[in-house]
Amino acid sequence: MGERLSYRQESTGMNRNTLRLWGLIFLALGMMSRGILQTRVLGVGAGSEQLLKVLDLSGGMTAAAVALALEALESCAVPIFAVLLIDGFQKTHSFRNYLLRLLALAAVSEIPYNFAASGKIWDSMSRNPVFSLVLCLIALYLYRYYAGTGIKGLTIKTAVFAAAILWAVIFRVQYGVSMLVVVTTLWAFRERKTLRNFLGAAAAVCCCIGNPLYMFSPFGFLLAHHYNGEEGMSVKQLQYALYPLMLVLISAAGTLLFF
């Protein structure tokens, strides 16, 4: 009876596929904000700064407010995918294959992402957020390789973090800096779940320095807190296809509505 009860307790909560689906929903809401409301309805392009200016204009106030709300909800995807990435990194049997899958997904998603966000095949202003997961995965590998807590280990990990941040800024990776900050915090306190989530939420709030909409990102931890670590039943190829498929559907919707 004790063993059965323990199994039931471990099985409660949200499996990996369900949590990933929530993350994709948040990403879809943000993309609808940038690709449809901002770019096609308001004509201001992607970016919360332009939306804040539009709020001063009575004609675009409602659409701009909705767009801001959707972007704020999108930031909730950051802690969700940070938790999933660390869990996947710890459980994968092949770091190389995991990295190659993410690189392939990032490459395949780039053109659909650009087209959904701005209606352009190539947009130098932003790279799709899957590249942030690639940077974080490489950083995690180096964090684990140089696992020491001495001066040498801390110095190397600090250098790795700084270099990853620099790459994210140079290549304008969407959510690159915030994802690195949250992932690094979660990894540092991975053995203490309650403290990890609290500090991870605090790290997400700190990202408000760059974008005030990150004030809402800690709400993603409310969902991630219920993650039970189980995979759930699904086809791996379908999991990786969902994001680019979502981008294609949003770009198609924007094109059809405003053709």
Side-chain angles (χ1 to χ4, degrees):
M1 178 66 73
E3 293 180 355
R4 291 180 180 177
L5 180 59
S6 175
Y7 175 77
R8 289 175 182 172
Q9 288 177 341
E10 292 176 357
S11 298
T12 59
M14 195 179 300
N15 63 39
R16 185 178 185 86
N17 296 322
T18 303
L19 185 59
R20 183 189 292 111
L21 180 60
W22 274 106
L24 288 173
I25 290 172
F26 289 131
L27 289 178
L29 293 175
M31 185 54 66
M32 285 189 288
S33 171
R34 291 193 299 278
I36 296 179
L37 290 177
Q38 296 180 44
T39 302
R40 291 179 168 88
V41 175
L42 297 171
V44 296
S48 56
E49 297 82 3
Q50 292 91 332
L51 285 177
L52 292 173
K53 293 179 181 178
V54 174
L55 281 173
D56 294 331
L57 306 175
S58 58
M61 187 171 183
T62 301
V66 172
L68 278 172
L70 293 180
E71 269 207 62
L73 287 173
E74 184 186 26
S75 68
C76 296
V78 172
I80 288 176
F81 284 105
V83 169
L84 290 175
L85 183 72
I86 291 175
D87 184 66
F89 172 68
Q90 291 178 305
K91 292 179 178 178
T92 186
H93 298 294
S94 173
F95 169 80
R96 174 180 172 274
N97 291 343
Y98 192 13
L99 178 61
L100 289 176
R101 286 196 299 269
L102 283 180
L103 276 172
L105 177 60
V108 169
S109 301
E110 185 62 15
I111 290 179
Y113 173 82
N114 291 332
F115 200 74
S118 62
K120 303 175 183 177
I121 293 179
W122 176 255
D123 186 356
S124 60
M125 298 305 295
S126 179
R127 303 278 73 77
N128 77 78
V130 181
F131 282 109
S132 71
L133 299 181
V134 173
L135 286 174
C136 288
L137 186 60
I138 296 172
L140 286 173
Y141 177 82
L142 295 172
Y143 291 161
R144 187 171 64 181
Y145 189 82
Y146 298 100
T149 56
I151 295 179
K152 179 181 177 181
L154 292 175
T155 300
I156 292 176
K157 285 194 279 284
T158 301
V160 168
F161 175 74
I165 291 289
L166 186 61
W167 279 101
V169 172
I170 290 174
F171 289 100
R172 300 177 182 268
V173 179
Q174 180 75 7
Y175 291 119
V177 174
S178 57
M179 186 68 74
L180 281 161
V181 170
V182 174
V183 165
T184 300
T185 303
L186 294 180
W187 178 257
F189 297 93
R190 62 192 178 280
E191 302 298 335
R192 304 174 66 180
K193 184 177 180 180
T194 302
L195 181 61
R196 178 199 68 182
N197 290 341
F198 175 78
L199 293 178
V205 171
C206 289
C207 295
C208 289
I209 297 174
N211 187 337
L213 296 181
Y214 279 104
M215 182 64 70
F216 295 88
S217 60
F219 287 104
F221 279 105
L222 295 178
L223 291 170
H225 178 73
H226 297 286
Y227 176 48
N228 59 20
E230 297 180 3
E231 182 67 26
M233 296 181 63
S234 68
V235 179
K236 182 173 292 187
Q237 289 78 3
L238 178 61
Q239 296 174 8
Y240 284 92
L242 283 176
Y243 182 61
L245 177 61
M246 177 198 80
L247 295 173
V248 170
L249 291 176
I250 291 174
S251 61
T255 301
L256 292 174
L257 288 173
F258 300 95
F259 180 71

